[in-house]
Amino acid sequence: MHSIRRIFSVGTAAFVLGAGLLAGSSGAAQAAASDCTGGANGFTDIPDSLSGRGVAGAGALVISDPHAVASWAMQSGTVGGRQMGWGVLSTGGAGDWGPRVRASVWMYVTNDNKATTILCGPFEVQSAGTRITTPAYPTSSSASRAFQVCAVLSSPGEIAGATCSPWW
């Protein structure tokens, strides 16, 4: 079982890094949640229950074997008196979320018009009826700062491919 977890973890990290390249990242991608938690790299931890205004897109992910559903969105709102953006992932209460079903959300931030990006996440959930957020990052009136939220849902037999919002 441990080797299956290791393979899945390595596969998820490779998938996220690959998604970063597809998203237009030319800088070095960071693939650890610790790179944006606890105040790292200008991010602010927020409660998973925090809701904001939907911006730049949202979507649903579905796998059939076993049946599982997750939805994701990019949101913005006031955190600690500052306007910030973050990603959110919610797993549907229905379906068969066996022990090997996983859903992940992550966020890219660029401060230099997508020349480089900061990868925040992935953050993973493994059960139905769960909601998780990425840490929040300050918004800016500068056109060089942009955000993108991505999510994936998978089981050993199926992957609902990574889906990303447009840059906002």
Side-chain angles (χ1 to χ4, degrees):
M1 181 69 157
H2 181 68
S3 62
I4 291 172
R5 261 194 202 131
R6 177 182 288 157
I7 290 168
F8 185 79
S9 296
V10 169
T12 298
F15 183 76
V16 168
L17 288 172
L21 294 175
L22 290 174
S25 163
S26 60
Q30 300 172 7
S34 62
D35 290 329
C36 61
T37 57
N41 288 313
F43 287 86
T44 299
D45 293 339
I46 59 174
D48 291 332
S49 60
L50 184 65
S51 290
R53 177 178 60 95
V55 294
L61 301 164
V62 179
I63 57 173
S64 58
D65 185 26
H67 179 69
V69 178
S71 62
W72 61 271
M74 181 186 299
Q75 296 187 344
S76 71
T78 304
V79 177
R82 298 178 73 185
Q83 284 297 312
M84 297 194 165
W86 64 90
V88 63
L89 176 79
S90 299
T91 59
D96 177 19
W97 277 75
R100 299 189 304 167
V101 175
R102 305 273 192 275
S104 298
V105 63
W106 60 96
M107 182 171 69
Y108 295 101
V109 176
T110 182
N111 289 302
D112 56 10
N113 213 20
K114 299 180 227 156
T116 61
T117 59
I118 303 168
L119 172 57
C120 182
F123 297 91
E124 183 177 284
V125 296
Q126 300 176 10
S127 61
T130 304
R131 185 178 196 277
I132 191 166
T133 60
T134 68
Y137 195 84
T139 61
S140 172
S141 60
S142 169
S144 63
R145 180 167 301 165
F147 300 79
Q148 185 179 51
V149 172
C150 302
V152 67
L153 175 63
S154 64
S155 71
E158 186 176 356
I159 295 176
T163 304
C164 297
S165 70
W167 284 95
W168 175 74

